[in-house]
Amino acid sequence: MAAALDIAVSARLGGFELDVRHAFALSGVTALFGASGSGKTTLLRIIAGLEDGARGTVDYAGETWLSSAERIRTPAHRRGVGVVFQDARLFTHLDVAGNLGYALRRARHTGPRPSLEAVSAALDLAPLMNRRTDALSGGERQRVAMGRALLSAPRLMLLDEPLAALDNRRKAAILPYIERVVHEFGIPAIYVTHAIDEVAHLADRIVVMTEGRVAATGDLPEALERLDLQPLTGHFEAGVLLEVTVTAQNLAHRLTHVDFGGQPMTMPMLNIPLGETIRLRARARDVSIATEPPRGLSIRNVLEGRIADITEEPETAFAEVSVETPSGHVRARLTRLSVEELGLERGQQVYALIKSVAFDRRVVPRGSGAPVSPER
Amino acid sequence: MAFDDLGPLWLTLQLAAVTTLVLVVLGTPLAWWLAFTRARIKPAVEAVTALPLVLPPTVMGFYLLVLMSPGNPLGGAWLRFTGDTLSFSFSGLVIASVIYSLPFMVQPLQSAFETIGRAPVEAAATLGAGPLDRFLTVASPLAFRGYLTAMVLTFAHTIGEFGVVLMVGGNIRGETRVISIAIYEHVETLDYAAAHGLSALLLAFSFIVLLAIYAMNGGRALRAR
């Protein structure tokens, strides 16, 4: 079995109970996903060694970090875990260079050590070096916090909603940096978030938490498509990830043509070379259903397929229809009345009309080249 | 100011300096504990720490005098180890001042540590800094103003001490006759000119100290009271 962070802990904090059993793979990015108050941050703090109230075991690739039965508790500063906190937590009595130097001087001596040059280049930190920390914007602060964590040469990165305090524009600006860092330096990461678009962007697998427990786990992109995740991911953001290949660029109309398992699709132009595989996200609310081949329609992306499943959402006006196409499946969110009036049922031949897709990330090769700005 | 008064002045400064240093060492862990503990006895410890603020100095001085007398375990042990009595000595004065000025060191430090919170110290821990390392390199630089306030207040308060000193130290030239005692003696002997000189000195000193602290804190109220 591959190296894992094996966790079996329970904790009682205030009125909140946490009970988690899970083996986190020590490679790539694992998204720890859930609503606020589901215990994600508490679990992260237990892994980092910042929470004293936890009982059970935490085992990092055979090394015991916590064993309440054996009275073992490795203190936080000996775990080699780099934490990027939601509020950055830069040292205000030091400037940016001082913050980075603080980590560099205390870096672990074993394992790979990211150099100051490499970290500074990946996160664009050179222009910030002599700035005071209170003169930084929220996004800059998180970049410095990430750089600082990397320079301590951690063997595991824990990112606790690093984008939560930022507005959408700043988020979009910093996501590519995070993406680059987690892949370029090859340090396994656990990324806490309650935003599904960040999961789609960054993660290789997802662990969903509800009310202090692990509710579901799975690899991306499949995990996001499973209907049983839907009550957790929320109706608004529910959708599927499509892996497509760039086939042509239409400069005149500023469009990019992609191939989705044999079916052509177009989307607003992306600055990505031909032949590259990218990940797109089609939200269920952006997908409609037609029972006949549509004509006279402005929507350009139409996928042919069969209905695999229809899930009605009780107490609401909506139902979700899962359409199996030869290239993969998509989900559509319709009103229950439409389902009834169109007479939709399982196995029926339909056309999925995709109003828009969002670009998520390049899939292969990972972390090469400059970060691309997301098209939203 | 009479030449005779230079002795008490010098002694007072020595007492205040030693007391402040001792209290930095003792007050830091106590303030840290009070700032971060979740123990149930915290209010009790806070109350004991604040006692010198409300207790009449004579009451405190009386109990300390009893504790320090050679017939008492503390005073007796001191006599055996040092060959000297604790009461009516400079060492006794230092101990009394440390206890009497405790809240003036602990309260500003506690409030500074509480303001800093756990966050920066936790961040330092995740970067590989051990407990002492993160206290020295993160918590104490961030608490710099708290330390400055606490030290100045402690120093100033020790200089102004009278009741406890009179009870515990008496009035021994070169050993326990501090400036406030000297003023008292000048008044008793009707030497008002000398009393005026020393009093004006203390008044000016106290005002300058408070002015410095308020200017430093940008006009915010002192947390020690």
Side-chain angles (χ1 to χ4, degrees):
Chain A
M1 195 187 128
L5 175 70
D6 229 319
I7 292 179
V9 291
S10 57
R12 230 193 144 125
L13 300 152
F16 178 76
E17 275 187 55
L18 180 116
D19 191 358
V20 171
R21 264 151 234 283
H22 185 70
F24 286 86
L26 287 175
S27 67
V29 180
T30 306
L32 192 54
F33 179 81
S36 35
S38 58
K40 309 180 300 279
T41 296
T42 304
L43 180 59
L44 215 64
R45 290 177 58 84
I46 290 172
I47 296 172
L50 298 174
E51 206 67 64
D52 343 307
R55 298 189 52 76
T57 57
V58 175
D59 181 294
Y60 178 96
E63 193 182 313
T64 303
W65 279 356
L66 176 74
S67 169
S68 44
E70 297 169 77
R71 296 181 171 274
I72 296 174
R73 188 171 170 270
T74 306
H77 65 278
R78 299 221 183 88
R79 292 193 184 189
V81 170
V83 183
V84 179
F85 296 93
Q86 188 172 335
D87 50 356
R89 298 196 182 180
L90 300 181
F91 302 135
T92 51
H93 63 296
L94 301 171
D95 62 5
V96 171
N99 270 274
L100 299 178
Y102 193 94
L104 205 54
R105 279 192 299 280
R106 290 165 180 79
R108 290 186 322 121
H109 295 291
T110 50
R113 294 180 67 171
S115 72
L116 182 58
E117 293 72 32
V119 169
S120 167
L123 289 163
D124 238 339
L125 296 179
L128 307 178
M129 282 299 175
N130 296 317
R131 298 258 292 275
R132 289 169 50 94
T133 55
D134 51 14
L136 300 175
S137 72
E140 289 168 337
R141 224 168 260 158
Q142 288 301 3
R143 269 155 58 201
V144 175
M146 262 189 290
R148 189 177 68 170
L150 279 171
L151 287 170
S152 69
R155 37 190 179 164
L156 175 66
M157 286 276 276
L158 303 176
L159 299 100
D160 186 8
E161 307 205 34
L163 304 182
L166 307 179
D167 59 38
N168 280 334
R169 202 168 47 85
R170 292 228 168 76
K171 248 186 218 181
I174 197 171
L175 255 177
Y177 283 112
I178 301 185
E179 183 181 358
R180 179 147 82 177
V181 159
V182 294
H183 292 125
E184 191 168 303
F185 294 96
I187 299 166
I190 298 177
Y191 186 97
V192 165
T193 182
H194 62 260
I196 198 70
D197 57 333
E198 291 171 27
V199 176
H201 240 286
L202 297 168
D204 298 298
R205 65 194 79 80
I206 184 172
V207 173
V208 181
M209 280 188 75
T210 345
E211 289 169 4
R213 281 155 208 278
V214 172
T217 64
D219 290 338
L220 260 58
E222 299 79 38
L224 286 194
E225 300 176 11
R226 292 210 306 258
L227 285 170
D228 60 357
L229 271 183
Q230 201 218 318
L232 305 163
T233 54
H235 307 304
F236 188 74
E237 288 296 334
V240 294
L241 296 177
L242 315 173
E243 289 195 351
V244 302
T245 312
V246 178
T247 52
Q249 299 283 16
N250 180 341
L251 288 170
H253 295 101
R254 309 286 305 162
L255 288 173
T256 294
H257 295 270
V258 298
D259 175 78
F260 176 52
Q263 308 201 57
M265 290 173 68
T266 57
M267 60 182 306
M269 185 172 249
L270 294 172
N271 183 19
I272 289 175
L274 301 186
E276 275 210 28
T277 303
I278 57 174
R279 191 184 276 180
L280 304 178
R281 194 157 55 89
R283 282 183 292 210
R285 63 184 166 121
D286 291 331
V287 179
S288 313
I289 298 285
T291 50
E292 290 166 22
R295 289 173 200 288
L297 192 74
S298 66
I299 293 176
R300 300 195 56 81
N301 296 317
V302 180
L303 302 175
E304 200 178 331
R306 285 182 188 282
I307 293 179
D309 201 6
I310 299 175
T311 315
E312 304 217 333
E313 294 163 14
E315 316 283 320
T316 74
F318 298 98
E320 193 165 280
V321 178
S322 176
V323 179
E324 194 68 49
T325 80
S327 339
H329 71 270
V330 293
R331 284 153 67 182
R333 189 157 189 254
L334 315 176
T335 60
R336 292 197 283 154
L337 185 62
S338 302
V339 172
E340 214 174 291
E341 285 186 351
L342 291 171
L344 299 182
E345 51 190 41
R346 280 186 196 191
Q348 187 180 349
Q349 172 94 8
V350 290
Y351 299 85
L353 284 51
I354 305 176
K355 221 181 304 172
S356 73
V357 286
F359 168 74
D360 263 328
R361 75 171 200 206
R362 300 179 186 206
V363 176
V364 196
R366 276 240 178 97
S368 65
V372 279
S373 50
E375 298 258 331
R376 284 283 141 86
Chain B
M1 190 167 59
F3 178 74
D4 254 11
D5 288 333
L6 283 181
L9 189 61
W10 175 235
L11 188 71
T12 306
L13 292 177
Q14 277 181 305
L15 178 64
V18 173
T19 300
T20 306
L21 287 180
V22 171
L23 270 178
V24 166
V25 174
L26 296 183
T28 297
L30 179 57
W32 186 267
W33 183 82
L34 283 174
F36 295 115
T37 186
R38 294 187 188 115
R40 274 202 217 137
I41 57 161
K42 178 185 168 181
V45 177
E46 277 183 310
V48 170
T49 308
L51 262 186
L53 289 177
V54 292
L55 215 53
T58 43
V59 172
M60 179 147 289
F62 170 69
Y63 281 123
L64 286 170
L65 185 65
V66 170
L67 272 178
M68 289 177 186
S69 72
N72 202 280
L74 175 74
W78 185 273
L79 185 61
R80 273 197 302 285
F81 282 114
T82 64
D84 217 345
T85 57
L86 199 49
S87 45
F88 307 110
S89 73
F90 184 73
S91 309
L93 270 196
V94 170
I95 292 177
S97 303
V98 161
I99 293 170
Y100 188 48
S101 295
L102 186 67
F104 291 83
M105 178 61 71
V106 170
Q107 290 190 355
L109 285 187
Q110 183 186 344
S111 125
F113 292 147
E114 279 167 355
T115 307
I116 296 165
R118 290 173 192 274
V121 179
E122 282 184 355
T126 64
L127 296 171
L132 186 64
D133 183 6
R134 48 193 197 249
F135 176 77
L136 293 177
T137 57
V138 175
S140 52
L142 287 173
F144 176 74
R145 281 155 71 109
Y147 268 102
L148 211 58
T149 306
M151 288 171 74
V152 171
L153 278 178
T154 302
F155 191 87
H157 184 247
T158 307
I159 281 186
E161 206 176 301
F162 177 73
V164 174
V165 175
L166 192 66
M167 297 291 280
V168 173
N171 184 6
I172 302 166
R173 180 186 294 234
E175 181 74 23
T176 63
R177 184 190 289 172
V178 294
I179 200 163
S180 55
I181 303 285
I183 294 172
Y184 178 67
E185 202 184 52
H186 287 317
V187 174
E188 288 281 277
T189 57
L190 299 177
D191 185 357
Y192 274 39
H196 265 303
L198 279 180
S199 297
L201 193 72
L202 269 196
L203 180 66
F205 171 79
S206 306
F207 173 73
I208 289 168
V209 162
L210 290 175
L211 182 67
I213 292 180
Y214 275 101
M216 209 162 64
N217 283 339
R220 271 181 290 131
L222 293 177
R223 282 292 305 267
R225 292 273 178 190

